[in-house]
mmCIF file of all heavy atoms in Angstrom:
data_model
loop_
_atom_site.group_PDB
_atom_site.id
_atom_site.type_symbol
_atom_site.label_atom_id
_atom_site.label_comp_id
_atom_site.label_asym_id
_atom_site.label_seq_id
_atom_site.Cartn_x
_atom_site.Cartn_y
_atom_site.Cartn_z
ATOM 1 N N TYR A 86 6.330 8.461 3.422
ATOM 2 C CA TYR A 86 5.240 8.842 2.530
ATOM 3 C C TYR A 86 5.803 9.344 1.219
ATOM 4 O O TYR A 86 6.968 9.748 1.139
ATOM 5 C CB TYR A 86 4.309 9.890 3.162
ATOM 6 C CG TYR A 86 4.980 11.172 3.582
ATOM 7 C CD1 TYR A 86 5.207 12.196 2.661
ATOM 8 C CD2 TYR A 86 5.370 11.384 4.897
ATOM 9 C CE1 TYR A 86 5.814 13.387 3.049
ATOM 10 C CE2 TYR A 86 5.967 12.567 5.292
ATOM 11 C CZ TYR A 86 6.193 13.568 4.365
ATOM 12 O OH TYR A 86 6.794 14.748 4.741
ATOM 13 N N LEU A 87 4.973 9.305 0.177
ATOM 14 C CA LEU A 87 5.384 9.763 -1.146
ATOM 15 C C LEU A 87 5.161 11.259 -1.286
ATOM 16 O O LEU A 87 4.175 11.802 -0.788
ATOM 17 C CB LEU A 87 4.607 9.016 -2.233
ATOM 18 C CG LEU A 87 4.932 7.529 -2.343
ATOM 19 C CD1 LEU A 87 3.975 6.849 -3.318
ATOM 20 C CD2 LEU A 87 6.370 7.323 -2.784
ATOM 21 N N ILE A 88 6.079 11.892 -1.996
ATOM 22 C CA ILE A 88 6.018 13.324 -2.286
ATOM 23 C C ILE A 88 5.946 13.475 -3.808
ATOM 24 O O ILE A 88 6.726 12.857 -4.524
ATOM 25 C CB ILE A 88 7.274 14.052 -1.765
ATOM 26 C CG1 ILE A 88 7.398 13.915 -0.253
ATOM 27 C CG2 ILE A 88 7.273 15.518 -2.194
ATOM 28 C CD1 ILE A 88 8.740 14.388 0.296
ATOM 29 N N SER A 89 5.048 14.290 -4.309
ATOM 30 C CA SER A 89 4.961 14.582 -5.742
ATOM 31 C C SER A 89 5.746 15.844 -6.046
ATOM 32 O O SER A 89 5.618 16.843 -5.338
ATOM 33 C CB SER A 89 3.506 14.772 -6.170
ATOM 34 O OG SER A 89 2.783 13.575 -6.018
ATOM 35 N N PHE A 90 6.557 15.796 -7.093
ATOM 36 C CA PHE A 90 7.353 16.958 -7.503
ATOM 37 C C PHE A 90 6.704 17.627 -8.712
ATOM 38 O O PHE A 90 6.028 16.982 -9.515
ATOM 39 C CB PHE A 90 8.777 16.543 -7.862
ATOM 40 C CG PHE A 90 9.530 15.934 -6.710
ATOM 41 C CD1 PHE A 90 10.004 14.647 -6.785
ATOM 42 C CD2 PHE A 90 9.754 16.647 -5.541
ATOM 43 C CE1 PHE A 90 10.700 14.079 -5.734
ATOM 44 C CE2 PHE A 90 10.439 16.088 -4.480
ATOM 45 C CZ PHE A 90 10.910 14.798 -4.574
ATOM 46 N N GLU A 91 6.932 18.934 -8.832
ATOM 47 C CA GLU A 91 6.406 19.706 -9.952
ATOM 48 C C GLU A 91 7.138 19.326 -11.235
ATOM 49 O O GLU A 91 8.350 19.141 -11.228
ATOM 50 C CB GLU A 91 6.606 21.209 -9.701
ATOM 51 C CG GLU A 91 5.928 21.733 -8.455
ATOM 52 C CD GLU A 91 4.420 21.674 -8.521
ATOM 53 O OE1 GLU A 91 3.850 21.932 -9.598
ATOM 54 O OE2 GLU A 91 3.811 21.373 -7.483
ATOM 55 N N GLN A 92 6.388 19.231 -12.337
ATOM 56 C CA GLN A 92 6.972 18.979 -13.645
ATOM 57 C C GLN A 92 6.484 20.035 -14.622
ATOM 58 O O GLN A 92 5.320 20.432 -14.587
ATOM 59 C CB GLN A 92 6.593 17.595 -14.177
ATOM 60 C CG GLN A 92 7.276 16.479 -13.439
ATOM 61 C CD GLN A 92 7.121 15.159 -14.166
ATOM 62 O OE1 GLN A 92 6.043 14.813 -14.621
ATOM 63 N NE2 GLN A 92 8.206 14.427 -14.276
ATOM 64 N N VAL A 93 7.407 20.458 -15.498
ATOM 65 C CA VAL A 93 7.094 21.443 -16.528
ATOM 66 C C VAL A 93 7.635 20.904 -17.844
ATOM 67 O O VAL A 93 8.745 20.376 -17.893
ATOM 68 C CB VAL A 93 7.757 22.804 -16.212
ATOM 69 C CG1 VAL A 93 7.495 23.809 -17.314
ATOM 70 C CG2 VAL A 93 7.294 23.330 -14.873
ATOM 71 N N GLY A 94 6.868 21.044 -18.913
ATOM 72 C CA GLY A 94 7.320 20.620 -20.230
ATOM 73 C C GLY A 94 6.406 19.566 -20.820
ATOM 74 O O GLY A 94 5.297 19.340 -20.339
ATOM 75 N N SER A 95 6.913 18.916 -21.859
ATOM 76 C CA SER A 95 6.134 17.895 -22.550
ATOM 77 C C SER A 95 7.084 16.880 -23.167
ATOM 78 O O SER A 95 8.293 17.106 -23.241
ATOM 79 C CB SER A 95 5.276 18.536 -23.645
ATOM 80 O OG SER A 95 6.125 19.020 -24.672
ATOM 81 N N THR A 96 6.517 15.781 -23.656
ATOM 82 C CA THR A 96 7.360 14.777 -24.307
ATOM 83 C C THR A 96 7.981 15.327 -25.588
ATOM 84 O O THR A 96 9.028 14.862 -26.014
ATOM 85 C CB THR A 96 6.547 13.507 -24.616
ATOM 86 O OG1 THR A 96 5.403 13.860 -25.388
ATOM 87 C CG2 THR A 96 6.122 12.797 -23.349
ATOM 88 N N ALA A 97 7.369 16.342 -26.186
ATOM 89 C CA ALA A 97 7.902 16.932 -27.420
ATOM 90 C C ALA A 97 9.147 17.777 -27.156
ATOM 91 O O ALA A 97 10.034 17.861 -28.002
ATOM 92 C CB ALA A 97 6.826 17.773 -28.098
ATOM 93 N N GLU A 98 9.205 18.407 -25.984
ATOM 94 C CA GLU A 98 10.338 19.311 -25.707
ATOM 95 C C GLU A 98 11.163 18.911 -24.494
ATOM 96 O O GLU A 98 12.166 19.549 -24.180
ATOM 97 C CB GLU A 98 9.834 20.739 -25.524
ATOM 98 C CG GLU A 98 8.865 20.889 -24.358
ATOM 99 C CD GLU A 98 8.235 22.264 -24.250
ATOM 100 O OE1 GLU A 98 8.108 22.948 -25.269
ATOM 101 O OE2 GLU A 98 7.874 22.633 -23.123
ATOM 102 N N GLY A 99 10.741 17.875 -23.787
ATOM 103 C CA GLY A 99 11.451 17.441 -22.584
ATOM 104 C C GLY A 99 10.732 17.916 -21.337
ATOM 105 O O GLY A 99 9.916 18.841 -21.381
ATOM 106 N N VAL A 100 11.013 17.267 -20.233
ATOM 107 C CA VAL A 100 10.333 17.554 -18.974
ATOM 108 C C VAL A 100 11.368 17.905 -17.910
ATOM 109 O O VAL A 100 12.370 17.220 -17.750
ATOM 110 C CB VAL A 100 9.493 16.337 -18.509
ATOM 111 C CG1 VAL A 100 8.841 16.600 -17.169
ATOM 112 C CG2 VAL A 100 8.445 15.974 -19.557
ATOM 113 N N LEU A 101 11.122 18.978 -17.195
ATOM 114 C CA LEU A 101 11.949 19.390 -16.072
ATOM 115 C C LEU A 101 11.177 19.075 -14.798
ATOM 116 O O LEU A 101 10.018 19.456 -14.659
ATOM 117 C CB LEU A 101 12.236 20.893 -16.155
ATOM 118 C CG LEU A 101 13.101 21.465 -15.043
ATOM 119 C CD1 LEU A 101 14.030 22.512 -15.604
ATOM 120 C CD2 LEU A 101 12.282 22.033 -13.912
ATOM 121 N N THR A 102 11.823 18.352 -13.885
ATOM 122 C CA THR A 102 11.224 18.028 -12.591
ATOM 123 C C THR A 102 12.031 18.750 -11.533
ATOM 124 O O THR A 102 13.252 18.736 -11.563
ATOM 125 C CB THR A 102 11.250 16.510 -12.338
ATOM 126 O OG1 THR A 102 10.603 15.854 -13.436
ATOM 127 C CG2 THR A 102 10.542 16.149 -11.055
ATOM 128 N N SER A 103 11.335 19.375 -10.561
ATOM 129 C CA SER A 103 12.036 20.227 -9.610
ATOM 130 C C SER A 103 11.485 20.102 -8.193
ATOM 131 O O SER A 103 10.300 19.849 -7.994
ATOM 132 C CB SER A 103 11.918 21.690 -10.052
ATOM 133 O OG SER A 103 12.477 22.557 -9.099
ATOM 134 N N THR A 104 12.378 20.328 -7.233
ATOM 135 C CA THR A 104 11.980 20.487 -5.827
ATOM 136 C C THR A 104 12.055 21.966 -5.470
ATOM 137 O O THR A 104 12.285 22.322 -4.325
ATOM 138 C CB THR A 104 12.907 19.694 -4.887
ATOM 139 O OG1 THR A 104 14.224 20.237 -4.996
ATOM 140 C CG2 THR A 104 12.926 18.228 -5.201
ATOM 141 N N GLN A 105 11.847 22.822 -6.451
ATOM 142 C CA GLN A 105 12.010 24.265 -6.288
ATOM 143 C C GLN A 105 11.272 24.812 -5.077
ATOM 144 O O GLN A 105 11.770 25.692 -4.394
ATOM 145 C CB GLN A 105 11.525 24.981 -7.542
ATOM 146 C CG GLN A 105 11.565 26.496 -7.418
ATOM 147 C CD GLN A 105 11.136 27.174 -8.703
ATOM 148 O OE1 GLN A 105 11.168 26.572 -9.762
ATOM 149 N NE2 GLN A 105 10.732 28.416 -8.599
ATOM 150 N N TYR A 106 10.112 24.306 -4.813
ATOM 151 C CA TYR A 106 9.325 24.830 -3.707
ATOM 152 C C TYR A 106 9.721 24.093 -2.433
ATOM 153 O O TYR A 106 9.463 22.908 -2.279
ATOM 154 C CB TYR A 106 7.828 24.691 -4.003
ATOM 155 C CG TYR A 106 7.470 25.389 -5.289
ATOM 156 C CD1 TYR A 106 7.243 24.659 -6.449
ATOM 157 C CD2 TYR A 106 7.424 26.770 -5.357
ATOM 158 C CE1 TYR A 106 6.950 25.298 -7.646
ATOM 159 C CE2 TYR A 106 7.143 27.418 -6.543
ATOM 160 C CZ TYR A 106 6.905 26.685 -7.682
ATOM 161 O OH TYR A 106 6.625 27.321 -8.866
ATOM 162 N N ALA A 107 10.359 24.780 -1.521
ATOM 163 C CA ALA A 107 10.938 24.171 -0.319
ATOM 164 C C ALA A 107 9.915 23.414 0.516
ATOM 165 O O ALA A 107 10.268 22.464 1.199
ATOM 166 C CB ALA A 107 11.624 25.242 0.528
ATOM 167 N N ASP A 108 8.652 23.797 0.447
ATOM 168 C CA ASP A 108 7.651 23.096 1.257
ATOM 169 C C ASP A 108 7.389 21.677 0.768
ATOM 170 O O ASP A 108 6.747 20.887 1.443
ATOM 171 C CB ASP A 108 6.355 23.892 1.337
ATOM 172 C CG ASP A 108 5.660 24.058 -0.006
ATOM 173 O OD1 ASP A 108 6.283 23.825 -1.058
ATOM 174 O OD2 ASP A 108 4.476 24.436 0.000
ATOM 175 N N LYS A 109 7.895 21.314 -0.405
ATOM 176 C CA LYS A 109 7.768 19.942 -0.901
ATOM 177 C C LYS A 109 8.668 18.976 -0.125
ATOM 178 O O LYS A 109 8.418 17.788 -0.091
ATOM 179 C CB LYS A 109 8.126 19.857 -2.386
ATOM 180 C CG LYS A 109 7.121 20.483 -3.291
ATOM 181 C CD LYS A 109 5.911 19.593 -3.400
ATOM 182 C CE LYS A 109 4.952 20.157 -4.421
ATOM 183 N NZ LYS A 109 3.745 19.382 -4.491
ATOM 184 N N LEU A 110 9.749 19.482 0.447
ATOM 185 C CA LEU A 110 10.681 18.649 1.198
ATOM 186 C C LEU A 110 10.532 18.938 2.689
ATOM 187 O O LEU A 110 10.473 20.093 3.091
ATOM 188 C CB LEU A 110 12.120 18.917 0.765
ATOM 189 C CG LEU A 110 12.434 18.592 -0.695
ATOM 190 C CD1 LEU A 110 13.868 18.971 -1.019
ATOM 191 C CD2 LEU A 110 12.188 17.129 -1.002
ATOM 192 N N PRO A 111 10.514 17.902 3.523
ATOM 193 C CA PRO A 111 10.308 18.110 4.962
ATOM 194 C C PRO A 111 11.584 18.477 5.727
ATOM 195 O O PRO A 111 11.580 18.502 6.946
ATOM 196 C CB PRO A 111 9.765 16.751 5.422
ATOM 197 C CG PRO A 111 10.327 15.777 4.455
ATOM 198 C CD PRO A 111 10.429 16.505 3.142
ATOM 199 N N PHE A 112 12.674 18.778 5.007
ATOM 200 C CA PHE A 112 13.938 19.146 5.654
ATOM 201 C C PHE A 112 14.794 19.915 4.654
ATOM 202 O O PHE A 112 14.541 19.881 3.449
ATOM 203 C CB PHE A 112 14.699 17.897 6.142
ATOM 204 C CG PHE A 112 14.957 16.884 5.058
ATOM 205 C CD1 PHE A 112 16.045 17.009 4.189
ATOM 206 C CD2 PHE A 112 14.120 15.794 4.897
ATOM 207 C CE1 PHE A 112 16.276 16.075 3.191
ATOM 208 C CE2 PHE A 112 14.341 14.851 3.903
ATOM 209 C CZ PHE A 112 15.426 15.000 3.050
ATOM 210 N N ALA A 113 15.805 20.607 5.169
ATOM 211 C CA ALA A 113 16.787 21.278 4.318
ATOM 212 C C ALA A 113 17.803 20.233 3.852
ATOM 213 O O ALA A 113 18.303 19.447 4.658
ATOM 214 C CB ALA A 113 17.494 22.388 5.085
ATOM 215 N N VAL A 114 18.103 20.218 2.565
ATOM 216 C CA VAL A 114 19.022 19.230 1.999
ATOM 217 C C VAL A 114 20.466 19.632 2.290
ATOM 218 O O VAL A 114 20.885 20.737 1.980
ATOM 219 C CB VAL A 114 18.801 19.089 0.473
ATOM 220 C CG1 VAL A 114 19.820 18.138 -0.136
ATOM 221 C CG2 VAL A 114 17.378 18.637 0.183
ATOM 222 N N LYS A 115 21.219 18.700 2.901
ATOM 223 C CA LYS A 115 22.644 18.924 3.178
ATOM 224 C C LYS A 115 23.539 18.048 2.308
ATOM 225 O O LYS A 115 24.704 18.359 2.124
ATOM 226 C CB LYS A 115 22.951 18.619 4.643
ATOM 227 C CG LYS A 115 22.257 19.588 5.563
ATOM 228 C CD LYS A 115 22.983 20.100 6.728
ATOM 229 C CE LYS A 115 24.437 20.282 6.683
ATOM 230 N NZ LYS A 115 25.022 20.723 7.908
ATOM 231 N N ARG A 116 22.991 16.931 1.795
ATOM 232 C CA ARG A 116 23.806 15.997 1.003
ATOM 233 C C ARG A 116 22.933 15.408 -0.096
ATOM 234 O O ARG A 116 21.761 15.111 0.107
ATOM 235 C CB ARG A 116 24.334 14.885 1.912
ATOM 236 C CG ARG A 116 25.129 13.811 1.227
ATOM 237 C CD ARG A 116 25.786 12.856 2.229
ATOM 238 N NE ARG A 116 24.863 12.358 3.222
ATOM 239 C CZ ARG A 116 24.600 11.077 3.458
ATOM 240 N NH1 ARG A 116 25.201 10.147 2.770
ATOM 241 N NH2 ARG A 116 23.743 10.722 4.392
#
Side-chain angles (χ1 to χ4, degrees):
Y86 58 84
L87 293 172
I88 299 169
S89 295
F90 298 119
E91 300 294 322
Q92 289 192 315
V93 177
S95 68
T96 55
E98 61 186 27
V100 177
L101 180 142
T102 305
S103 175
T104 63
Q105 176 177 340
Y106 303 104
D108 64 345
K109 289 285 186 184
L110 298 177
F112 55 83
V114 176
K115 294 221 32 183
R116 177 172 50 123

